[in-house]
Amino acid sequence: MEKMTTWPTNTKEQPLIIAGPCSAETEEQVMAVAHQLKATDVSIYRAGIWKPRTRPGLFEGIGTQGLVWLQRVKEETGLRVATEVANKDHVQECLKHGIDVLWIGARTTANPFAVQEIADALQGVDIPVLVKNPVNPDVNLWLGAIERLEKAGISNPGAIHRGISPLGKSIYRNNPEWQMPLALKAQRPDILLINDPSHIAGNRQLLAGIAETALGLDMDGLMIETHINPDAAWSDAAQQITPKTLLGLLAKLKAKNQPTDTLAMADLNNMRSSIDYIDEQLIDLLSYRMQVATEIGQYKKRHGMAIMQEERWAELLTKHASQAASRNLNGEFVTQLFNSIHQESVNSQNQLSRK
Ligand code: PEP
Ligand code: MN
């Protein structure tokens, strides 16, 4: 199979699909998933060989022997193969084993020294590399990593949107923060942008909605973790799906993404997905606000303080009203909205104080 220098073509109707397990575990597992993904819409097979685990003592990847299994995947299925690299040794091992696509993980993107080491190891080798967004919400860090690779001669870098570590409780493992990929796309409309709903969701239930929003926002493709027996996976068990579930999900997404009769309908759909995305963010923010209000309630209870502090609330309302005016929002609407948000916080603090 010849060397891959560019991305497989992708269109709105046929986005680029990367799938495979979070981690390569055994040769049997790697081959079984690959054979089920052969001759489907999946064009690149992923498997983590060196795993960046947040806490020590967890499965840290099968190491170099897994690269031989990926070579076998290439030979037997014709799928291109991809894995994560975090240092120069990983890069060298991958190049030695004919890995087609490399990706830089979110924790690595956050470290310019590590990214530079990878870029240096790739000097003179033009291979497609995908850069995951850093774990912190910094678009420049993401762009910076892409630029370091380009300076080393990588002519086809791509980006993967995998969300941001949440500060407080969140329904997502990593908050999508859709404004990040949109900002990246605005600055670099020329590069491939893939969404990774698996690491955003952290569970199977939220996967489809995230994937749909990503395609609605015109991303070029999806990376979805796929395992032969997800519940028994050695890493990220809760978010992996079987190849069969993946194919069902892709078919549903395709049906939703049919070319529309008129341009106007397509535009309307785009605007609707922006509204969906904004509403999702509003709900996330409301949930975060309620959580902070509960913490404040607990503090007030411990210190015997009154729940309702009229002066502070009057001050906030004035601030909201002037901010609303500066953004061309109807002041009365904003005051009403905040009064009802505030009422809900007071109710929940009252409930706490009765406990
Ligand atoms: C992965 O893709 O398995 C992975 C470790 O992802 P991230 O770098 O996004 O955490
Ligand atoms: Mn994973």
Side-chain angles (χ1 to χ4, degrees), residues 2 17 31 38 73 82 96 119 123 134 136 178 185 239 269 311:
E2 87 261 22
I17 307 297
M31 295 315 299
K38 180 174 77 175
V73 167
K96 227 189 281 169
Q123 195 78 44
N136 50 327
W178 295 101
K185 198 175 159 74
Q239 71 197 31
N269 281 340
E311 256 167 59

Side-chain angles (χ1 to χ4, degrees), residues 18-314:
I18 305 174
C22 176
S23 303
E25 298 165 3
T26 64
E27 186 165 9
E28 294 66 40
Q29 168 244 13
V30 166
M31 295 315 299
V33 179
H35 276 286
Q36 291 199 22
L37 296 178
K38 180 174 77 175
T40 65
D41 287 344
V42 173
S43 54
I44 301 177
Y45 185 83
R46 67 149 282 156
I49 298 291
W50 303 280
K51 299 302 298 175
R53 305 313 297 270
T54 304
R55 308 286 292 266
L58 301 167
F59 175 57
E60 293 190 334
I62 206 71
T64 306
Q65 60 174 312
L67 296 174
V68 178
W69 307 340
L70 290 182
Q71 279 180 315
R72 205 181 138 201
V73 167
K74 251 175 101 159
E75 281 155 22
E76 287 185 21
T77 67
L79 289 163
R80 306 297 187 155
V81 291
T83 200
E84 172 174 347
V85 291
N87 60 37
K88 65 174 185 328
D89 297 340
H90 296 165
V91 171
Q92 279 154 8
E93 285 300 321
C94 285
L95 295 177
K96 227 189 281 169
H97 288 84
I99 302 302
D100 299 293
V101 175
L102 308 180
W103 84 78
I104 297 183
R107 295 160 190 79
T108 308
T109 311
N111 177 357
F113 287 132
V115 174
Q116 192 57 53
E117 178 181 316
I118 293 168
D120 291 344
L122 284 168
Q123 195 78 44
V125 191
D126 194 5
I127 180 176
V129 183
L130 290 160
V131 181
K132 288 203 168 196
N133 67 256
V135 280
N136 50 327
D138 186 343
V139 179
N140 282 325
L141 205 48
W142 199 4
L143 281 166
I146 292 164
E147 288 160 4
R148 284 177 200 279
L149 293 170
E150 287 178 317
K151 283 192 162 187
I154 299 297
S155 57
N156 276 301
I160 303 180
H161 164 230
R162 53 76 81 196
I164 297 298
S165 306
L167 179 59
K169 260 212 173 82
S170 167
I171 53 166
Y172 301 108
R173 176 177 176 194
N174 291 292
N175 285 343
E177 307 293 358
W178 295 101
Q179 69 277 21
M180 263 190 97
L182 295 177
L184 184 94
K185 198 175 159 74
Q187 295 212 45
R188 293 299 306 264
D190 56 313
I191 68 170
L192 186 89
L193 177 58
I194 301 283
N195 171 261
D196 171 351
S198 305
H199 289 89
I200 292 176
N203 63 60
R204 282 160 218 147
Q205 294 70 34
L206 294 174
L207 264 188
I210 298 163
E212 197 187 324
T213 305
L215 296 182
L217 292 173
D218 275 342
M219 298 208 193
D220 301 307
L222 300 167
M223 179 192 254
I224 300 185
E225 286 189 341
T226 312
H227 194 286
I228 205 75
N229 182 4
D231 285 331
W234 297 1
S235 59
D236 290 354
Q239 71 197 31
Q240 302 205 56
I241 55 176
T242 62
K244 191 164 165 243
T245 308
L246 174 73
L247 298 183
L249 168 63
L250 294 179
K252 268 197 207 133
L253 290 171
K254 216 177 211 173
K256 292 210 173 165
N257 214 19
Q258 285 303 327
T260 38
D261 290 339
T262 64
L263 211 55
M265 195 59 203
D267 277 347
L268 182 63
N269 281 340
N270 262 336
M271 289 186 281
R272 282 186 176 147
S273 36
S274 300
I275 286 283
D276 290 352
Y277 142 67
I278 293 165
D279 286 351
E280 221 176 273
Q281 296 255 304
L282 282 174
I283 290 173
D284 273 357
L285 277 174
L286 276 176
S287 141
Y288 184 46
R289 192 188 191 285
M290 283 303 293
Q291 192 191 325
V292 174
T294 306
E295 277 161 26
I296 293 178
Q298 279 158 345
Y299 183 89
K300 286 178 183 163
K301 187 178 169 189
R302 274 201 307 277
H303 294 84
M305 294 158 88
I307 287 174
M308 183 69 185
Q309 291 174 340
E310 294 287 353
E311 256 167 59
R312 159 135 172 101
W313 184 239

